[in-house]
Structure formats: C-alpha cells, structure tokens
C-alpha cells in the first residue's frame, strides 16, 4: 500500500505516526513530502531538521503529479490541513480531480476575539466544500472533533488523533532551591495550547489556597506579535 503525507513543514509529531504505520503494515510504501523541512519559528524554538530517504522537500508540479499517480491503484494521500501552504492546497486539489483516496489531519480553528470568530466562519464555509471529497478526517483532540463536527462533517468520516513525540530527551539532574514550587511551560503561545487557562488556574490557587506555597511560573515560547495573549 502506498501512503503519501503532504505537509507544510516536517514535524516531530509526525514521526510516531509514521513509526506506528510501518510497524502495523509490512507492505507499506511511505513517502513524506513537505514544502519546507522545518519552519524558521520552530528552528528558533530548538526543533532540529529531520532527514531521510522518505522525505521530499519542495517538489515541482511534475513531481507532485507523479507521486499522486502512485496512489491511484492502492494508496492514500494524507494532508496536514486543508490549506496550510501552497503545496498542500495544490496537491489536495489535484488529488480531488484525480478522485484519489484522501485523509486530512486538522486542528480546530482559533476563535480568539472578533477576528477569530470571523475567521472561524470563513474557514467553516471554505472547508464544507471538501466534505464529500475526503475519505477520513483525523481531528486533533476533542476541540478539533467538535469544531469539524460543527462545521458539517459527518461522524462516520471523523476520528480523534492526538499529537505525540518520541521521547529522546537526555535526563539531567534537577536541583531545586526548595524555596519555590516551579512550574514551567515551553511551547508555542497560541490559543489551543491553553496558556491562559494555566495562568487563570494559578491565580485561583493563590486566591483560594488556605496554605501559602511560594512558586515560580516560567513561560517560554513564541507568539505572533498580533496575537491577543
């Protein structure tokens, strides 16, 4: 079976999925095609480029058609979102025209603020045109499932998926000053990460706790300048 992933950027979240598929299907022929290896913002957060024979970066239009054609008889194309980059948009449209099997991995839309709600409505209308063209929609978490269900997709074509990473961290001794309880968040400062929920929760601990426990909260991450956080 031929499986092709079409991505805007190669992500560590993808590697566990690829490993699982390769272990589950001995006859799997898998290719990962991405517009870029790794985005600049993710490089700045410490993510490392991922390389290997399975990966193809920035293919030509001709190469896109060649790889799509390979899935015609016994294969499926899996896209990271509906329109996350030019590569995904172009290859998805071609896959629909060729009547190929299609799956989408998608997150919920960000509905923060008035602009977020307007964007949410526009995206919902845009995605609806794909309802009858895709075979499977893998929604990230319960928020993703609820969002796409509300956008008109059918439960029979939807399933929940969670992000995961392979733990290759190098353990280091941790020394606490024992004066503070330390809480650290490291990641993107975007709506679905729930950093605002973390801050509110800590505020409630301070407000309602009957015992005083000194703590330190450190938040490390990147966000767009326009983001309401």
């Amino acid at each position: 079976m031929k499986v092709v992933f079409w991505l805007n950027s190669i992500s560590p979240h993808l590697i566990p999925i690829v490993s699982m598929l390769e272990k589950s299907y001995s006859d799997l022929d898998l290719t990962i095609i991405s517009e870029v290896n790794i985005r600049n913002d993710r490089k700045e957060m410490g993510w490392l480029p991922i390389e290997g024979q399975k990966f193809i970066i920035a293919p030509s239009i001709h190469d896109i058609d060649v790889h799509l054609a390979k899935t015609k008889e016994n294969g499926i194309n899996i896209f990271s979102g509906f329109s996350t980059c030019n590569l995904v948009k172009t290859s998805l449209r071609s896959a629909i025209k060729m009547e190929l099997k299609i799956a989408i991995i998608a997150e919920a839309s960000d509905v923060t603020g008035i602009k977020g709600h307007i964007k949410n409505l526009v995206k919902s209308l845009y995605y609806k045109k794909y309802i009858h063209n895709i075979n499977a929609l893998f929604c990230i978490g319960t928020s993703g499932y609820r969002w796409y269900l509300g956008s008109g997709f059918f439960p029979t074509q939807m399933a929940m998926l969670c992000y995961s990473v392979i733990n290759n961290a190098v353990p280091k001794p941790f020394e606490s000053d024992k004066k503070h309880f330390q809480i650290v968040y490291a990641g993107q400062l975007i709506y679905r990460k729930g950093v605002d929920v973390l801050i509110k929760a800590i505020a409630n601990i301070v407000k309602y706790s009957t015992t005083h426990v000194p703590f330190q909260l450190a938040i490390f991450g990147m966000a767009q300048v326009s983001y309401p956080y």
Side-chain angles (χ1 to χ4, degrees):
M1 181 179 182
K2 180 68 178 177
V3 176
V4 182
F5 282 89
W6 301 88
L7 314 172
N8 60 331
S9 175
I10 295 174
S11 164
H13 298 310
L14 176 69
I15 305 306
I17 297 174
V18 170
S19 299
M20 180 194 67
L21 287 172
E22 289 180 327
K23 288 177 182 177
S24 302
Y25 302 95
S26 58
D27 62 339
L28 190 69
D29 180 7
L30 192 145
T31 302
I32 299 167
I33 304 176
S34 180
E35 187 163 273
V36 297
N37 190 310
I38 201 159
R39 298 200 316 254
N40 288 331
D41 61 324
R42 289 180 171 177
K43 283 182 183 177
E44 291 177 11
M45 291 176 66
W47 291 26
L48 299 174
I50 301 170
E51 298 177 351
Q53 292 182 346
K54 297 186 184 72
F55 302 103
I56 298 171
I57 308 299
S60 65
I61 296 297
H62 171 73
D63 289 339
I64 290 173
D65 291 338
V66 168
H67 285 288
L68 286 171
K70 290 179 180 179
T71 66
K72 183 71 175 177
E73 297 301 323
N74 181 29
I76 187 167
N77 295 276
I78 304 175
F79 298 86
S80 63
F82 293 87
S83 57
T84 49
C85 66
N86 287 331
L87 172 65
V88 169
K89 285 190 284 189
T90 301
S91 51
L92 178 56
R93 287 176 191 148
S94 296
I96 291 172
K97 286 180 183 177
M98 296 170 70
E99 298 182 344
L100 304 175
K101 287 184 179 178
I102 295 169
I104 307 286
I105 299 176
E107 300 162 345
S109 180
D110 181 355
V111 295
T112 307
I114 296 174
K115 286 185 179 179
H117 283 283
I118 293 172
K119 240 191 241 184
N120 181 45
L121 177 61
V122 172
K123 281 186 177 181
S124 181
L125 293 172
Y126 176 76
Y127 294 158
K128 276 183 180 178
K129 68 181 183 180
Y130 292 106
I131 289 176
H132 300 289
N133 298 122
I134 67 172
N135 301 92
L137 176 60
F138 298 109
C139 310
I140 302 301
T142 54
S143 61
Y145 188 90
R146 286 194 299 264
W147 195 88
Y148 286 98
L149 189 64
S151 295
F153 285 85
F154 305 112
T156 51
Q157 66 186 151
M158 296 167 60
M160 276 192 287
L161 185 71
C162 69
Y163 282 146
S164 60
V165 294
I166 295 174
N167 184 11
N168 56 3
V170 179
K172 292 184 178 180
F174 175 76
E175 293 183 6
S176 173
D177 59 11
K178 297 183 180 180
K179 295 178 182 178
H180 295 89
F181 180 74
Q182 296 175 316
I183 301 171
V184 178
Y185 168 85
Q188 289 178 294
L189 300 178
I190 53 178
Y191 176 73
R192 69 174 181 274
K193 300 294 185 181
V195 181
D196 56 328
V197 177
L198 171 63
I199 295 171
K200 288 174 184 175
I202 290 174
N204 284 335
I205 291 173
V206 174
K207 185 176 180 180
Y208 297 110
S209 178
T210 56
T211 59
H212 178 64
V213 180
F215 64 87
Q216 293 175 332
L217 170 64
I219 296 175
F220 300 95
M222 298 185 65
Q224 297 176 0
V225 176
S226 60
Y227 197 70
Y229 272 153

